[in-house]
């Protein structure tokens, strides 16, 4: 139903300025930060769309984290629950179980995790952090929370030990003391083992920090304490004295018991292992240096690297396992980190790809006094987690079901697709499973604890990651999980680089020439497009059949040749001068010295990488259909690609950079358009150019609308610092020349250091395969201002010589050229960058905000591209194929695509691509486009239904192209319109086409800038989602641009977040939170409410296995461990209270969160009851102390009263 809204007509009258052209309402003044301005043409009625989304639909919530824990430090395993915990240097804990059970929790302090200890089969975890705090985590809820914390004030924690089925935790400190903590109340016991009492009185030196604590397997009343300097003390807890002491010359790193409790093994800093017998502690029972060279008798074995940890595990039917890390010989410096497994006389060394952080032996029993029966070893590496199968002689590793290899090569870009076609996941998995590695253990993954179900979310999700080595990984992200589906190697398209060819690519990137920069995927047509850092685009088509064919390639020459530096005086110049006369000028304006090959010839028309020319075997899956490469121009490498889009329905791919735009027909394998950005604003007839004087050119600019309104966007004499986030390599720039600083281009990234050719005239050609298309241009010089980054101060109107220009703009030898990507900000931003992430560094680019014409910005990058059926011109009555082009100056150009009418003609007739003359403008670089129909429904770009291009079936061969247009037939009626949503880094606008009226304007931010913006579908409607550099996530309704949500979620700490943040449908988003982890989040209220049902359960009720029958003799002579009562020994009644200044008890927030997270079930009731009992016990304890004080006072009063009564018992009243 159409409604005439008189108020909005008045708003349109007041918002539009007299005489303004198309899109002029976007420049109306008074737009404050976050304001919405409805606009329009006076008297133009339009439909009132009833928007269904409200602010109640939105809420920000983290969902799940995938990948390998960044910078791991600790490892723990629960042998009954079969769950694994990993602590990190940033204070995070990841708890893993069966696939789907993956929980992330974080210490608020951010202190590194030193050690983790499970309360075996109790659903709890103790963590010790580097700020000397112990934390008790409740794992009986889906999101673990801290129940108690204990902060040590005077001593530093070095080691913790919790005996099985005990509530007393032993804590060793740096001073050498051992404290005991009650796990239930998290209160320190008064029982303390002081270091000076543990060692002999005759010892003159401090034994060092405690490095090991463990109770004897045969007697729980005996505690083994290991000190760093080589001293081991066997402490009797009951008698409070040392039963025996062991001394060794070398420092101790770890100790482990034999299950019988008669022997223990130590690992030392000289690479030796010592086995000690309790009956003869004076010297080691056995000393071995496993990797030391054998020496003659009487000589000491050769020292090796320290053995950082050893585990001594026994088997009932075979020799014991001795497993240790380190201990290699010093003469093998190049050997990788290794894990050594000694089983009987066999010694197996397992070399690792990364340094070993920690390892644990997984055993069948949790009881330390039984045969351990080890079956696997979990090895935590710096960048990986592997589990070795000990039950097979060749020790294979288990296939890891977790996505721990996301960072196998650094992630450079991401894409997220929700609600994909349901058959895609199965198809990709069936292809990818054929290429999986072999040689894994045939047994199931041993970490199988927890419980997980699919939950209510059933739609398929796919995440795509691009990597620095050119690989593309497809991941199944459905139902809060992440599983590898398919891996594509884009580097196989190119020849392997030889040693001498590496210099050719180093002009563009310092390393990783195959790094993936942008990806574009159409799930419906299965067309996949990728652009690389070496200025290439590869188009892939999906096929189930293997083929052997040659790879078709196109080479595009995207060039800006400058004729001369033109003075303000009028003079005539030919439109297309001879190329030979322009070489010196273009080289000097390119911004770097010429690159000369070994033969002394300047590189020209050469791509950065060489495509394979021989027939290539392509396995089933994605197969390269076309490779497009930008080539060197006069010794200058091509600029990196900043925007990419492809349309399977049109058979066209478009990409752009800071030089210009390229449009390619990938069906006919021809270049349709190759022109500079400035030429998009010229006449729509690209093939008819008339010579013009500079004065005519100046008049053209003054009369052109798209160039007239830009001065209103930024105040004059204002300079801002801008940053780009798409650079993958570090830039080491030379000092900025003063002459160039004066006349730098307003928007060129680091224009003073990396100037590029100025805009001007371009010529479009349509070459065949492997042809080069050339472009030329003329510079502009307007109103006495500098319009080229190579010009000096122009008040004198003097002409610069080529030599002068070359001096100003010359790069140093071997320096990377200017690699401007996408404009990202109008603010100054300083980001910390670690040495490990140098390839993620950004570079600043200066921009003058005083813009009087479009030609003041000589490098206007193409920042956004979008194919859609739309109205290309203002007077169009029907929609037609269009390409929306957005630039770094906030300009939007509509390009009309004229396609052949029939399928047969599409393969033979040319496609006509012409700028339509329609221009729209925004403030800031354009980020995204989208369209809505007249009813407010989101329009999807048309696509071609997938068919296998290599199918041998005759019926398939004759099958015609089937296009899906995604709009109703009524949309093509006369007089119809559509809404176009455009978002830039500063504001969002909604235009009505074909009238080109700006209906709504929303200034999103004034002090920051938008990093990522997407129009997404949600709850059968659409909204605009934005991520801002100041950390805010903002949601706006469409088409009215009403703010629905604005949450300060995450401050921008590094460029990795900006480069990988992406939104998708159904209220989901993700970003790379660390170099190894992907963080997923939701902005949907419904999903936040149901998140508990989607997460896995960490704790499941399992019966604790019974202890083996020890037998009569073992029970008689095996020690008194079974009768040991720790409560009686460590309790307050016998040990007293610990000093309050030693440690501070901090109640955790887990009590409230635990009840909220577990409410509704039996486990929730138990958790709530347990927490209530803890709180009640604490209150009762306080009440008990007060009652005891009152009782003492009452007893004293009673005693004095009784004494007084006895004193005056026999006296008469008159004797007082």
């Amino acid at each position: 139903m159409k409604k005439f809204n008189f108020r909005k007509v008045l708003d349109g009258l007041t918002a539009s300025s007299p005489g303004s052209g198309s899109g002029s309402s976007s420049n109306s003044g008074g737009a404050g930060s976050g304001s919405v301005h409805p606009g329009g043409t006076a008297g133009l009625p339009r439909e009132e769309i009833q928007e269904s989304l409200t602010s109640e639909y939105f809420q920000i919530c983290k969902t799940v984290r995938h990948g390998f824990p960044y910078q791991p430090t600790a490892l723990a395993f629960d042998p009954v629950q079969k769950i694994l915990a990993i602590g990190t240097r940033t204070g995070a804990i990841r708890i893993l179980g069966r696939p789907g059970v993956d929980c992330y929790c974080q210490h608020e302090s951010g202190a590194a995790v030193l050690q983790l200890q499970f309360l075996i089969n109790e659903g709890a975890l103790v963590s010790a952090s580097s700020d000397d705090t112990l934390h008790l985590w409740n794992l009986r809820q889906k999101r673990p929370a801290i129940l108690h914390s204990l902060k040590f004030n005077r001593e530093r924690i070095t080691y913790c030990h919790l005996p099985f089925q005990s509530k007393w935790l032993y804590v060793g400190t740096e001073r050498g003391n051992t404290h005991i903590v009650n796990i239930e109340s998290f209160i320190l016991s008064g029982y303390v083992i002081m270091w000076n009492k543990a060692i002999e009185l005759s010892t003159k030196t401090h034994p060092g920090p405690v490095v090991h604590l463990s109770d004897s397997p045969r007697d729980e009343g005996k505690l083994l304490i290991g000190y760093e300097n080589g001293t081991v003390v066997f402490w009797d807890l009951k008698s409070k004295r040392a039963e025996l002491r062991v001394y060794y010359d070398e420092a101790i790193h770890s100790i482990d018991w034999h299950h019988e409790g008669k022997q223990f093994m130590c690992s030392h800093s000289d690479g030796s292992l010592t086995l000690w017998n309790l009956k003869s502690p004076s010297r080691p029972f056995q000393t071995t240096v496993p990797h030391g060279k054998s020496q003659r008798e009487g000589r000491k074995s050769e020292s090796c690297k320290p053995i950082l940890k050893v585990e001594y595990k026994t088997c009932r039917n075979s020799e014991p396992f001795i497993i240790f890390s380190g201990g290699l010989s010093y003469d093998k410096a190049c050997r990788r980190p290794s894990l050594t497994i000694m089983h009987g006389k066999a010694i197996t060394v397992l070399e690792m790809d990364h340094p070993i952080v920690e390892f644990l032996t997984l055993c069948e029993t949790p009881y330390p006094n039984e045969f351990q029966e080890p079956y696997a070893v979990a090895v935590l590496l710096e960048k990986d987690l592997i589990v070795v199968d000990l039950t097979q002689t060749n020790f294979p590793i288990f296939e890891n079901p977790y996505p721990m290899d996301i960072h196998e090569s650094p992630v450079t870009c991401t894409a997220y697709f929700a609600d994909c076609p349901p058959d895609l996941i199965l198809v990709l998995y069936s292809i990818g499973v054929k290429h999986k590695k072999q040689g894994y253990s045939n047994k199931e993954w041993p970490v199988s604890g927890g419980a997980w179900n699919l939950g209510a979310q059933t739609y398929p999700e796919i995440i795509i990651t691009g990597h620095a080595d050119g690989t593309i990984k497809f991941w199944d992200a459905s139902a809060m999980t992440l599983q590898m589906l398919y891996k594509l190697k884009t580097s196989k398209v190119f020849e392997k680089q030889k040693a001498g060819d590496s210099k050719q690519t180093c002009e563009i990137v310092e390393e990783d020439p195959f790094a993936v920069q942008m990806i574009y995927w159409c799930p419906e047509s299965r067309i996949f497009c990728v652009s690389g850092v070496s200025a290439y685009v590869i188009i892939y088509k999906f096929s189930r059949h293997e083929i052997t064919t040659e790879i078709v390639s196109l080479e595009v020459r995207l060039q800006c040749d400058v004729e001369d530096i033109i003075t303000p005086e009028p003079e005539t110049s030919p439109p297309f001068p001879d190329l030979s006369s322009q070489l010196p000028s273009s080289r000097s304006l390119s911004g770097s010295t010429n690159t000369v090959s070994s033969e002394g010839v300047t590189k020209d028309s050469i791509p950065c990488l060489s495509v394979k020319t021989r027939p290539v075997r392509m396995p089933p899956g994605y197969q390269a259909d076309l490779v497009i490469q930008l080539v060197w121009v006069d010794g200058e490498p091509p600029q990196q690609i900043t925007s990419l889009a492809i349309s399977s329905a049109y058979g066209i791919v478009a990409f752009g950079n800071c030089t210009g735009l390229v449009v390619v027909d990938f069906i006919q394998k021809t270049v349709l358009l190759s022109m500079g950005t400035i030429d998009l604003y010229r006449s729509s007839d690209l093939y008819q150019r008339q010579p013009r004087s500079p004065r005519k050119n100046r008049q053209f600019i003054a009369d052109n609308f798209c160039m007239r309104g830009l001065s209103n966007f930024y105040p004059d004499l204002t300079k801002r610092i801008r940053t780009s986030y798409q650079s993958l390599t570090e830039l080491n720039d030379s000092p900025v020349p003063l002459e160039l600083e004066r006349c730098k281009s307003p928007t060129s990234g680091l224009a003073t250091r990396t100037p590029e050719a100025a805009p001007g005239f371009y010529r479009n050609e349509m070459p065949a395969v492997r042809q080069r298309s050339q472009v030329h241009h003329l510079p502009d010089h307007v109103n006495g201002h500098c319009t080229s980054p190579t010009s000096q101060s122009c008040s004198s109107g003097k002409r610069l010589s080529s030599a002068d220009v070359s001096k100003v703009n010359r790069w140093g030898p071997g320096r990377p050229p200017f690699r401007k990507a996408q404009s990202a900000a109008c603010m100054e931003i300083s980001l910390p960058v670690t040495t490990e992430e140098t390839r993620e560094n950004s570079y600043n680019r200066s921009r003058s905000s005083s813009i009087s014409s479009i030609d003041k910005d000589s490098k206007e990058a193409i920042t956004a591209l979008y194919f859609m059926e739309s109205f290309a011109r203002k007077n169009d009555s029907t929609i037609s194929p269009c390409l929306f082009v957005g630039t770094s100056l906030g300009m939007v150009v509509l390009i009309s695509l004229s396609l052949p009418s029939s399928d047969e003609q599409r393969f033979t007739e040319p496609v006509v691509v012409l700028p339509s003359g329609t221009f729209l403008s925004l403030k800031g670089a354009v980020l995204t486009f989208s369209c809505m129909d007249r009813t407010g429904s989101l329009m999807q770009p048309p696509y071609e239904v997938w068919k296998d291009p290599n199918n041998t079936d005759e019926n398939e061969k004759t099958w015609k192209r089937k296009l899906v247009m995604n709009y109703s037939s009524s949309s093509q009626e006369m007089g119809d319109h559509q809404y176009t949503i455009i978002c830039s880094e500063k504001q969002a606008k909604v235009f009505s086409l074909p009238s080109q009226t700006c209906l709504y304007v929303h200034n999103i931010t004034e002090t920051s800038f938008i990093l990522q913006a997407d129009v997404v579908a949600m709850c059968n409607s659409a909204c605009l989602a934005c991520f801002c550099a100041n950390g805010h996530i903002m949601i706006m309704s469409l088409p009215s641009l009403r703010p629905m949500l604005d949450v300060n979620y995450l401050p921008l700490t590094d460029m990795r977040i900006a480069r990988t943040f992406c939104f998708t449908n159904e209220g989901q988003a993700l970003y790379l939170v660390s170099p190894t982890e992907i963080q997923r989040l939701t902005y949907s209220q419904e999903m936040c409410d149901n998140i508990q049902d989607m997460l896995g359960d960490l704790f499941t009720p399992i019966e604790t296995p019974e202890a083996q029958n020890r037998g009569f003799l073992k029970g008689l002579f095996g020690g008194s461990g079974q009768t040991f009562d720790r409560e009686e020994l460590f309790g307050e009644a016998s040990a007293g209270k610990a000093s309050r200044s030693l440690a501070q008890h901090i109640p955790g927030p887990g009590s409230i969160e635990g009840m909220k997270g577990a409410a509704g079930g039996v486990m929730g009731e138990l958790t709530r009851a347990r927490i209530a009992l803890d709180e009640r016990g604490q209150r009762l304890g306080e009440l008990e102390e007060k009652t005891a004080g009152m009782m003492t006072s009452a007893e004293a009063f009673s005693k004095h009263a009784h004494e007084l009564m006895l004193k005056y018992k026999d006296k008469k009243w008159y004797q007082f």
Side-chain angles (χ1 to χ4, degrees), residues 693-705:
S693 69
R695 294 189 181 277
K696 290 182 180 180
N697 184 38
R698 182 170 56 191
Q699 183 66 31
F700 168 79
I701 294 173
D703 293 339
N704 195 324
F705 160 74

Side-chain angles (χ1 to χ4, degrees), residues 681-754:
Y681 306 111
R682 311 289 186 183
S683 170
S684 60
D685 187 354
L686 304 178
Y687 303 99
Q688 294 183 4
R689 305 291 187 197
Q690 299 298 329
R692 297 180 302 178
S693 69
R695 294 189 181 277
K696 290 182 180 180
N697 184 38
R698 182 170 56 191
Q699 183 66 31
F700 168 79
I701 294 173
D703 293 339
N704 195 324
F705 160 74
C706 72
M707 305 171 187
R708 189 176 61 229
L710 289 176
S711 59
N712 297 327
F713 286 160
Y714 302 97
D716 288 346
L717 305 178
T718 302
K719 292 186 178 181
R720 303 168 188 253
I721 304 299
R722 309 188 60 150
T723 182
S724 172
Y725 52 83
Q726 295 190 358
S727 173
L728 301 180
T729 56
E730 183 180 6
L731 289 177
N732 297 319
D733 297 323
S734 57
V736 183
L738 179 61
E739 296 86 355
L740 195 56
E741 178 68 27
R742 295 172 182 168
C743 56
K744 59 187 177 182
S745 174
T747 58
S748 59
L750 281 183
T752 58
R753 305 180 188 178
T754 55

Side-chain angles (χ1 to χ4, degrees), residues 478-631:
S478 307
M480 296 293 176
T481 62
L482 195 68
Q483 182 183 8
M484 168 77 80
L485 292 175
Y486 175 70
K487 184 176 181 179
L488 174 66
K489 295 182 179 180
T490 61
S491 59
K492 289 188 174 181
V493 173
F494 303 100
E495 298 283 358
K496 292 183 179 179
Q497 284 192 313
K498 300 178 182 178
D501 297 339
S502 59
K503 296 181 180 180
Q504 176 174 318
T505 310
C506 72
E507 301 293 334
I508 295 186
V509 289
E510 295 173 355
E511 54 185 8
D512 300 326
F514 305 109
V516 177
Q517 197 171 17
M518 304 181 73
I519 51 181
Y520 196 99
W521 188 44
C522 178
E524 291 80 10
S525 63
R526 303 184 186 177
I527 291 286
F528 184 71
C529 190
V530 55
S531 71
V533 74
S534 298
Y536 64 83
V537 173
I538 308 176
I539 301 172
Y540 289 91
K541 291 185 177 180
F542 189 84
S543 175
R544 297 176 182 268
H545 304 279
E546 178 181 315
I547 60 170
T548 301
T549 182
E550 291 187 1
I551 301 174
V552 182
S553 65
L554 281 175
E555 295 177 1
V556 181
R557 184 181 176 92
L558 191 57
Q559 178 185 4
C560 298
D561 285 337
V562 180
E563 283 190 354
D564 202 354
I565 303 298
I566 306 177
T567 61
E569 287 78 12
E571 59 178 299
T572 59
S573 301
F576 297 106
D578 186 88
L579 270 179
S580 59
S581 63
Q582 299 305 314
L583 286 179
S585 175
S586 63
R587 284 198 297 269
S588 60
L589 290 171
S590 61
S592 69
T593 56
N594 295 336
T595 304
V596 182
S597 63
S598 58
E599 292 81 6
V601 181
T602 301
K603 287 185 179 180
D604 188 65
S605 302
I606 301 174
C608 299
L609 300 173
S610 300
V611 179
K612 293 180 179 178
T613 56
R614 62 184 183 278
V616 178
R617 184 187 70 85
M618 299 182 185
Y622 275 104
Q623 300 167 348
D625 182 66
L626 177 65
V627 179
I628 308 167
Q629 290 182 282
L630 298 180
V631 297

Side-chain angles (χ1 to χ4, degrees), residues 304-473:
C304 295
K305 296 179 182 178
I307 295 180
L308 302 178
K309 183 177 181 181
V310 64
E311 293 206 349
Y312 188 21
K313 303 300 179 184
T314 56
C315 303
R316 186 180 300 275
N317 300 319
S318 65
E319 296 290 330
F321 280 91
I322 300 174
I323 305 170
F324 61 89
S325 61
L328 295 179
S329 177
Y330 280 106
D331 61 355
K332 298 179 180 178
C334 297
R335 290 190 62 174
R336 295 184 291 180
S338 64
L339 183 77
T340 303
I341 302 175
M342 300 174 62
H343 189 211
K345 295 182 179 181
I347 300 179
T348 304
V349 179
L350 304 178
E351 291 188 343
M352 305 296 170
D353 293 331
H354 309 285
I356 297 175
V357 176
E358 176 70 286
F359 74 89
L360 287 174
T361 306
L362 312 186
C363 302
E364 296 287 353
T365 177
Y367 296 95
N369 57 355
E370 297 178 356
F371 284 101
Q372 299 301 293
E373 302 295 343
Y375 59 89
V377 180
V379 186
L380 179 63
L381 308 177
E382 276 192 0
K383 295 184 179 180
D384 201 0
L385 172 68
I386 65 172
V387 180
V388 182
D389 187 358
L390 295 179
T391 61
Q392 301 183 38
T393 55
N394 59 340
F395 302 128
I397 65 172
F398 291 89
E399 185 177 5
N400 197 329
Y402 313 123
M404 295 291 186
D405 57 345
I406 292 176
H407 62 286
E408 185 178 15
S409 176
V411 177
T412 55
C413 61
T414 59
Y416 193 7
F417 300 88
D419 203 7
C420 301
D423 60 330
L424 262 182
I425 292 179
L426 183 60
V427 168
L428 290 173
Y429 180 78
S430 62
I431 298 296
V433 74
K434 300 176 182 178
H435 304 286
K436 281 194 173 183
K437 296 179 181 179
Q438 305 297 324
Y440 292 111
S441 173
N442 53 11
K443 295 187 176 181
E444 293 185 359
W445 179 254
V447 185
S448 56
W452 176 77
N453 52 39
L454 288 174
Q457 178 185 339
T458 56
Y459 54 83
E461 301 172 71
I462 292 179
I463 294 174
I464 304 177
T465 56
H467 299 264
D469 63 351
T471 58
I472 305 286
K473 294 182 180 179

Side-chain angles (χ1 to χ4, degrees), residues 985-997:
E985 62 183 10
K986 285 292 184 178
Q987 64 178 188
K989 288 187 178 182
V990 176
F991 292 90
S992 176
L993 298 182
S995 66
Q996 301 178 13
T997 304

